[in-house]
Amino acid sequence: MAVLAGTTARLAPVLKVRRRTVVAGVLVGWLVLFAVLRGHQTLALDQSGLTGLHRWFNSLNDSIGANRNSNPLFLYFFNEIQLVISNFVTFIQSLISQPSGGRPVPTIGWLGVVAIAGYLSWAFGNWRVALLAVAGFAFFGLQGLWQESMDTLALTLSAVLISLLVGIPLGVWAGVSDRVNRILTPVLDVMQTMPTFVYLAPLTLFFLIGSASAVIATLIYAAPPAIRITAHAIRAVPATTVEAAESLGSTRWQTLIKVLLPMSKRTVVMGVNQTIMSALSMVTIAALIDAPGLGKVVMQALESLDVGTAFNAGLAIVVMAIVLDRVTTAAGDRTEDAKRRGNRFQKLRRPLLLAGGVAVAVCAYVSYTYVWAAEFPGSGGIGGSIAKAADSVTTWAQNDLSGVTNGIKNSVTNALLNPFQTLLTESPWWLVGAVLVALGAVLGGWRAGVTAAVCVGLLFGTGVWSDSMATLASTVLATLIVVLLGIVVGVWMGRSTVADRLIRPVLDAGQTLPSFVYLVPFLALFAASRFTAIVAAVVYAAPVTIKIIADGIRAVPETTVEAATAAGSDTWQIITKVQLPMSRSALTLATNQGLIYVLSVVVVGGLVGAGALGYDVVAGFSQGDLYGKGLAAGLAIVLLGVMFDRITQAAARRSGNVSGRQ
């Protein structure tokens, strides 16, 4: 055994060197063949060009539309689901955002909504969070975006309620059953790998454009966190505790209700938090399929390059995200606070909650009865001022900073993006496919190579190969920047407790914001371009990448670092020779997550000039004859995401195995 272990340890560096050599050889061979075959068999397609697959998708869409009310599958299944969800969303909208029951105003006006928001925030959180909620909701009205904000909230609540109704029971089931957990894990992997953008087109095929498709798309995106975190919470309960309950005669149901769920309450609340944030992010993007709310305001403003209006609505989305995040986070913390304060606090809290409930009921009744309490007073002067200020800053930036911003944009575009995109789009399609398959096999193993081969073949079949390569170029460049930024900041955080305390709250805040809103400030700085989408993607993906790398650096044993220091290594040598090599699996995982996050924003960047697959999807929603091409582009995005997710995950596992053997 000792001889085998020694042989394995000696082989690991050799395999590592050989792998690097093979990768270098593949890339050099690609460059040589590109110089010879440039411009041949590139599968280029005009923006208005269609393939046979695209026309078939168009015909399928037309056929479904013509037979929607006669086909039994639609008549008794899809249409019924659409009707139930649409009625549910309409009911919630009639409560807080849209006219209801022949009234020109909702059932609960602004005063009642603000009171309810403050009361629930206090009941589930604390008084500080309640003040934040009241201020945040009042701010929506002062911005002149009360109805749009409430539409967004109504869609979010609808999606979250359905997601939790499905997700928590499934999570509990997966937590107590290994078989269910094994079945659900790959399904959840696929659901979370696909960028949010691509859920929309196929769902409109079955549920039409509107609120129903938006809620179902949000359900698909938001349910996995609830399922995963609930299952994790159930499994994290100590086995000894469960055994003690069973030894006292508890049935499985009693053990679940009396032991597992109470002991996992705080973690389950964290899952609810992640579900809410995921739902809010998806609901804003669902504006592309005519979902009402703030996302629609942002999208229309981006299409017309109206930065001021987009910034005002984007700010409202940010405020809503912060409020919902703080409320659910405080709800998780309150359980521990209540335990520390004891029964005396609980006895005082109950009458206060009762009195607050009466006050909220009075406010809701007043908002139902009187117009002044139903329609938010004023004309949104603050929103107009915010939009004007944003427009002024945009004009100043584009006039006075254009030398700097255009210099950065042109340097990166001309020196990095254009050459790489040219290499991808003007190489023969089969050459690029062979390179991707070879890199997948070398980096991730033969299974990753097979996955890459299947994805390449399907990408060829979508008919949008050239646009896929353009999107791939932007995605890879943005991911490289994210990883470099993650290494620099992550190593700093991992080595410095002070830096971690200062930077981590900023990263946490950055992760609460929907990806949609990152486009707005960079549109002001860099105008509509591919570079704008890349910068927005870098900022959106950086927090998760930095945190993973920081945690990986911190996990390196202190004794190893001390041994390297005692041997005379300086700081640079410790980082490059000890900490980074020993956190190789964390680096690979960070690359995986960074790539998935980047892909979701680079595609949405089609709204601000990124073109390629993002443009194809957006055009498919707005132009009926391009629907099939947009659907194919969405499929291409899924294939890119699955291919690189599998390759990087396999590479992470191989890195972990090599690290373990060493």
Side-chain angles (χ1 to χ4, degrees):
M1 291 298 292
V3 173
L4 180 60
T7 303
T8 304
R10 288 192 298 272
L11 281 176
V14 175
L15 293 174
K16 180 180 175 183
V17 172
R18 288 180 179 175
R19 195 176 299 144
R20 290 179 177 175
T21 303
V22 173
V23 170
V26 170
L27 296 179
V28 170
W30 182 14
L31 292 174
V32 171
L33 291 175
F34 168 74
V36 177
L37 301 172
R38 179 175 181 176
H40 295 282
Q41 296 177 307
T42 59
L43 304 181
L45 188 67
D46 294 337
Q47 287 186 347
S48 58
L50 300 176
T51 67
L53 177 66
H54 306 161
R55 295 188 182 91
W56 184 81
F57 279 148
N58 284 341
S59 299
L60 178 64
N61 185 38
D62 294 339
S63 175
I64 289 176
N67 298 288
R68 184 176 298 276
N69 294 322
S70 58
N71 186 297
L73 182 62
F74 280 86
L75 196 60
Y76 300 109
F77 184 69
F78 291 119
N79 289 358
E80 291 298 321
I81 293 175
Q82 179 198 5
L83 181 63
V84 170
I85 294 178
S86 295
N87 288 340
F88 182 56
V89 174
T90 301
F91 168 72
I92 295 182
Q93 285 181 306
S94 69
L95 287 179
I96 61 175
S97 65
Q98 297 288 341
S100 64
R103 293 157 46 87
V105 292
T107 301
I108 304 175
W110 73 269
L111 181 63
V113 171
V114 171
I116 292 172
Y119 177 75
L120 292 178
S121 301
W122 173 56
F124 290 103
N126 54 60
W127 65 269
R128 295 183 186 86
V129 175
L131 289 179
L132 175 65
V134 169
F137 274 69
F139 184 65
F140 300 146
L142 295 174
Q143 285 181 284
L145 295 171
W146 178 261
Q147 181 171 324
E148 292 84 355
S149 300
M150 293 304 101
D151 278 329
T152 296
L153 182 62
L155 285 177
T156 302
L157 291 177
S158 301
V160 167
L161 290 174
I162 298 174
S163 296
L164 296 180
L165 188 64
V166 173
I168 290 181
L170 281 178
V172 171
W173 195 10
V176 299
S177 171
D178 292 336
R179 180 182 298 177
V180 174
N181 190 55
R182 286 195 300 269
I183 294 172
L184 286 179
T185 296
V187 177
L188 298 177
D189 286 342
V190 172
M191 292 168 69
Q192 291 190 296
T193 298
M194 290 192 293
T196 57
F197 211 49
V198 304
Y199 291 123
L200 305 180
L203 286 174
T204 59
L205 192 65
F206 298 102
F207 300 104
L208 298 176
I209 288 177
S211 299
S213 292
V215 170
I216 295 172
T218 305
L219 167 65
I220 295 172
Y221 183 64
I227 298 172
R228 283 188 186 276
I229 295 176
T230 301
H232 169 73
I234 296 295
R235 290 177 174 273
V237 175
T240 53
T241 305
V242 177
E243 291 170 359
E246 292 175 346
S247 66
L248 293 174
S250 295
T251 63
R252 294 186 64 182
W253 179 254
Q254 290 172 327
T255 301
L256 175 64
I257 298 299
K258 302 292 185 180
V259 178
L260 293 175
L261 288 180
M263 293 191 67
S264 59
K265 183 188 300 182
R266 184 174 184 178
T267 306
V268 171
V269 172
M270 184 177 72
V272 174
N273 171 275
Q274 293 300 305
T275 299
I276 291 174
M277 302 314 298
S278 299
L280 179 60
S281 176
M282 189 65 196
V283 161
T284 55
I285 295 175
L288 290 166
I289 55 173
D290 204 34
L294 294 169
K296 194 169 187 178
V297 178
V298 175
M299 186 193 72
Q300 292 173 345
L302 289 177
E303 289 178 342
S304 60
L305 302 182
D306 184 355
V307 176
T309 301
F311 183 83
N312 186 44
L315 182 60
I317 295 173
V318 170
V319 171
M320 184 173 293
I322 291 173
V323 169
L324 294 178
D325 178 65
R326 291 297 92 198
V327 169
T328 49
T329 301
D333 295 338
R334 194 183 70 79
T335 302
E336 300 299 321
D337 293 339
K339 290 180 180 178
R340 287 194 297 267
R341 295 183 183 185
N343 293 330
R344 182 178 179 183
F345 173 77
Q346 292 299 320
K347 291 179 181 179
L348 180 63
R349 181 178 174 83
R350 289 191 184 96
L352 291 176
L353 285 174
L354 180 60
V358 172
V360 168
V362 171
C363 290
Y365 174 76
V366 170
S367 70
Y368 175 82
T369 306
Y370 299 100
V371 174
W372 65 266
E375 294 181 344
F376 201 94
S379 57
I382 289 181
S385 300
I386 292 173
K388 289 179 181 178
D391 285 332
S392 299
V393 171
T394 301
T395 303
W396 170 78
Q398 293 177 349
N399 291 337
D400 297 349
L401 296 180
S402 58
V404 177
T405 56
N406 288 338
I408 296 173
K409 177 173 68 175
N410 294 335
S411 297
V412 174
T413 301
N414 295 328
L416 297 175
L417 181 57
N418 285 345
F420 187 41
Q421 183 168 319
T422 299
L423 179 64
L424 284 167
T425 57
E426 296 191 16
S427 292
W429 74 269
W430 52 265
L431 175 59
V432 179
V435 170
L436 292 174
V437 173
L439 292 178
V442 172
L443 297 175
W446 69 269
R447 289 186 180 86
V450 170
T451 300
V454 172
C455 290
V456 166
L458 294 175
L459 275 173
F460 170 79
T462 61
V464 288
W465 178 270
S466 183
D467 284 350
S468 299
M469 294 302 101
T471 294
L472 178 60
S474 298
T475 302
V476 171
L477 177 59
T479 302
L480 290 175
I481 297 173
V482 166
V483 172
L484 289 174
L485 182 63
I487 291 174
V488 172
V489 181
V491 168
W492 183 26
M493 290 174 60
R495 291 175 53 84
S496 171
T497 304
V498 175
D500 188 84
R501 282 201 302 263
L502 292 175
I503 298 174
R504 192 169 289 269
V506 178
L507 301 180
D508 291 340
Q511 284 190 280
T512 64
L513 306 183
S515 59
F516 215 37
V517 303
Y518 282 96
L519 295 173
V520 178
F522 296 110
L523 177 64
L525 284 174
F526 300 106
S529 66
R530 292 172 297 165
F531 182 76
T532 302
I534 288 174
V535 177
V538 168
V539 176
Y540 178 63
V544 65
T545 304
I546 292 171
K547 288 165 73 173
I548 292 173
I549 294 176
D551 292 340
I553 295 294
R554 192 175 298 105
V556 175
E558 187 66 29
T559 53
T560 305
V561 177
E562 291 172 355
T565 304
S569 299
D570 57 23
T571 301
W572 176 253
Q573 290 172 326
I574 290 173
I575 292 173
T576 57
K577 302 295 185 181
V578 178
Q579 291 178 313
L580 285 178
M582 292 190 69
S583 57
R584 188 185 299 115
S585 59
L587 290 172
T588 312
L589 177 61
T591 302
N592 170 275
Q593 291 301 297
L595 191 146
I596 297 301
Y597 275 65
V598 161
L599 185 60
S600 66
V601 179
V602 166
V603 174
V604 178
L607 293 169
V608 292
L613 294 178
Y615 173 83
D616 292 337
V617 175
V618 174
F621 290 132
S622 57
Q623 303 176 41
D625 58 330
L626 295 180
Y627 177 85
K629 188 175 183 180
L631 197 59
L635 176 60
I637 296 166
V638 174
L639 293 172
L640 288 175
V642 169
M643 178 170 60
F644 285 105
D645 177 69
R646 293 305 170 215
I647 291 174
T648 51
Q649 281 199 25
R653 287 193 294 270
R654 295 183 73 178
S655 297
N657 292 337
V658 170
S659 299
R661 289 196 298 267
Q662 292 176 333

